[in-house]
Structures are given as C-alpha cells and as structure tokens.
C-alpha cells in the first residue's frame, strides 16, 4: 500500500494457499483504513521472482521503489511502469513465471 500522506510504501504480506486452490481454506483477514490518494498494489510472485541474466531475482525492494515513484500516475500507467521495470530487469531474458497486477487507487 502506498500511503499518499507519507509517500511511503507499506508492505503487507499474507501467508496462505493461492486463492481457490484449497476449498474452504481459512484465509487471514485484515482491516486497513485508506485515505484519498492511497494506492493498493496487488501482484503475483512472478514479478518479484523475475530473474535477470545473472540469475538474481528482482525482489520486493525494487517493487516498493517502482510503486513509490509511479503512485501519482493512473492505475494503468502504474501497471505499465511495473511491466517496464520487469522487462528492464530481465534484460531480454524470457519471463520464467506469469505475472498479475491489480492496482486500486483511492479517489480524492
């Protein structure tokens, strides 16, 4: 979550099974208050686990940096910035896992 008031990205990590893979799994629930300008970024692990030619993974720190830099843009532009960052990191290497992005922006 990008907090507009502080311009800080707060990572929320949920442990559990992938959605829909185990019927009636008891998923963790949390309630968070959101403010105007906040951005929720949901992504699959395909982005953070993207390899570069040296075999290094992209990681969450770069994901947080990308979100902080792009948070003022439209949801579609934020997603495009993530796609570009992944392609730049991969330096032409084929993507090794699927990647899914969902961006939710709290309106002012």
């Amino acid at each position: 979550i990008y907090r507009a008031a502080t311009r800080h990205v707060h990572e929320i990590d949920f442990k559990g099974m992938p959605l829909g893979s185990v019927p009636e799994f008891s998923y963790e629930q949390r309630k968070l208050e959101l403010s105007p300008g906040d951005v929720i970024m949901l992504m699959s692990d395909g982005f953070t686990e993207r390899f570069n030619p040296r075999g290094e993974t992209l990681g969450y720190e770069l994901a947080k940096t990308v979100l902080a830099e792009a948070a003022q843009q439209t949801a579609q532009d934020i997603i495009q910035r993530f796609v570009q960052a992944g392609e730049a990191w991969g330096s032409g290497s084929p993507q090794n896992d699927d990647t899914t992005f969902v961006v939710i922006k709290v309106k002012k």
Side-chain angles (χ1 to χ4, degrees), residues 11-100:
E11 182 179 349
I12 299 173
D13 188 21
F14 286 95
K15 305 291 185 202
M17 300 297 293
L19 288 175
S21 64
V22 177
E24 299 184 36
F25 183 81
S26 180
Y27 291 98
E28 177 182 351
Q29 296 182 27
R30 293 188 197 172
K31 289 184 180 185
L32 301 168
E33 290 200 27
L34 300 171
S35 300
D38 287 354
V39 179
I40 301 169
M41 176 74 184
L42 306 168
M43 73 178 82
S44 64
D45 62 358
F47 180 77
T48 57
E49 294 176 1
R50 174 95 191 247
F51 289 101
N52 67 13
R54 294 182 303 276
E56 302 164 322
T57 57
L58 190 146
Y60 286 96
E61 290 306 313
L62 181 57
K64 288 193 246 182
T65 299
V66 171
L67 180 56
E69 291 172 353
Q72 301 301 317
Q73 299 176 11
T74 68
Q76 184 59 44
D77 288 343
I78 293 170
I79 291 171
Q80 186 58 39
R81 179 65 185 97
F82 271 83
V83 170
Q84 291 168 346
E87 289 173 356
W89 178 262
S91 299
S93 299
Q95 193 168 328
N96 54 302
D97 193 2
D98 64 300
T99 304
T100 302

